[in-house]
Amino acid sequence: MIRRLLGEGIYHTGDGHELYWSHHGTPGTFPWIFLHGGPGGKSVADHLTFFDLNRTQVVLFDQRGCGYSSPQGSVVNNTTELLLSDIEALREQFAFGSIGLLGISWGSWLALRYRHLFPHRVAKLVTACLFVPAPSVLESFLDVTLSSMGRDRASVDIVELYDALCSDDAVRQHGAARVWLRANLELAGRSMGGDVLEAFIDKEAIASIRIELHYLLHGFGDMTLGASVEPAPIVIQGRHDVLGMKSLEWLQRVEHPQIQIYGVGHEPFHPTMHEAIRLSLGG
């Protein structure tokens, strides 16, 4: 893969977080900012394959507490509103005028909210594997996740898992992460052998799940969007992505998105989805 790295560094938020960023592509071309999934995910080099780096430039960054950003797994000063301010700060740091946003999953919601707050800064908006933290979507997510766990009371279970992940007890952390990962793998129709699963649960995985549960318990912030805000988002969605389709139903009540639906699941790197994303970005 040709990364065309133009630079990388750390953005200091001023409130205890240091965000890792990398800048790729061709100087002077149209700029994109990529927003990864989660909450609790990270940017990876494969995300660059969505872009034609000969004709664009793109900034990848790891959101608060994620990936190479530090402190890893921190939930202090970690809110949707602060993530949106980070996007704007990075745009200013690179002296970009108007930008394109590509948001995957949780990143799709950040892209939509950023465009609502800073409509004059967004020239293009593409989302894939849509996620909207609307009550109906979260309720469905928790119902199926907790069913996978064999549990009944969502609030108690998640609080218990979150408390364990925030503790200093490595055994409790590991056990809570195992429960959450198994349930989400089952939800996605996937499985992971015992030894593989145990090896997967490292410090980064625990940090990622801690952030995810932090948002589930403490909320995702303002849900306001507006149909009059331009540009209209391009939504690239898998028909078999149940939560994504529920998110799309919600979005269509408040927006007028341009919709592309394909017969896949929550899989941005599926060849069909990947090609659709590239074409939507002008690749």
Side-chain angles (χ1 to χ4, degrees):
M1 180 196 306
I2 299 174
R3 298 181 62 193
R4 289 186 176 272
L5 181 65
L6 300 176
E8 58 185 337
I10 298 295
Y11 170 72
H12 299 270
T13 64
D15 59 5
H17 286 269
E18 298 180 343
L19 308 184
Y20 171 77
W21 59 261
S22 59
H23 183 200
H24 307 261
T26 302
T29 57
F30 183 76
W32 290 83
I33 294 180
F34 174 77
L35 303 173
H36 66 68
K42 64 178 180 180
S43 294
V44 297
D46 283 348
H47 289 135
L48 294 172
T49 63
F50 295 125
F51 301 90
D52 181 348
L53 298 179
N54 293 310
R55 297 194 293 170
T56 60
Q57 55 182 315
V58 57
V59 173
L60 307 182
F61 77 100
D62 292 337
Q63 297 160 24
R64 293 178 179 229
C66 299
Y68 290 118
S69 294
S70 62
Q72 187 180 56
S74 175
V75 296
V76 176
N77 293 326
N78 199 333
T79 66
T80 302
E81 288 71 23
L82 289 171
L83 297 182
L84 297 172
S85 69
D86 294 338
I87 300 168
E88 175 64 0
L90 286 168
R91 184 200 62 78
E92 291 181 341
Q93 175 172 304
F94 286 94
F96 295 151
S98 60
I99 58 174
L101 292 173
L102 170 60
I104 303 292
S105 191
W106 158 245
S108 67
W109 178 245
L110 294 179
L112 289 164
R113 281 289 298 148
Y114 177 87
R115 182 213 47 172
H116 179 78
L117 294 176
F118 305 98
H120 56 298
R121 298 300 187 192
V122 181
K124 300 178 183 179
L125 175 58
V126 178
T127 70
C129 302
L130 190 67
F131 172 73
V132 170
S136 59
V137 177
L138 295 177
E139 182 178 354
S140 294
F141 171 71
L142 291 173
D143 281 347
V144 294
T145 301
L146 290 156
S147 174
S148 297
M149 291 180 190
R151 308 284 185 107
D152 295 318
R153 299 177 61 191
S155 60
V156 172
D157 290 335
I158 291 178
V159 169
E160 289 174 354
L161 293 176
Y162 181 68
D163 286 347
L165 290 163
C166 291
S167 74
D168 294 326
D169 187 330
V171 174
R172 289 185 66 207
Q173 288 183 346
H174 194 93
R178 183 193 307 114
V179 169
W180 189 252
L181 278 171
R182 279 180 174 165
N184 280 273
L185 285 168
E186 183 174 325
L187 173 61
R190 296 157 54 194
S191 62
M192 191 179 288
D195 291 343
V196 176
L197 180 63
E198 293 302 318
F200 182 80
I201 303 173
D202 58 8
K203 182 179 179 181
E204 182 175 343
I206 290 170
S208 175
I209 298 169
R210 182 188 303 126
I211 292 173
E212 181 181 6
L213 296 190
H214 164 72
Y215 275 85
L216 284 171
L217 285 172
H218 297 93
F220 292 83
D222 194 339
M223 292 293 296
T224 304
L225 295 180
S228 61
V229 178
E230 295 293 336
I234 296 173
V235 177
I236 302 170
Q237 181 59 44
R239 182 177 295 109
H240 305 305
D241 175 4
V242 175
L243 297 179
M245 293 301 291
K246 283 186 174 290
S247 295
L248 182 55
E249 290 175 10
W250 183 91
L251 184 64
Q252 287 180 285
R253 291 195 288 269
V254 296
E255 288 267 10
H256 303 293
Q258 303 175 44
I259 303 168
Q260 302 176 34
I261 297 181
Y262 300 94
V264 300
H266 195 83
E267 306 169 89
F269 290 110
H270 185 284
T272 300
M273 292 285 281
H274 188 277
E275 181 65 11
I277 296 169
R278 275 189 64 88
L279 290 174
S280 296
L281 299 178

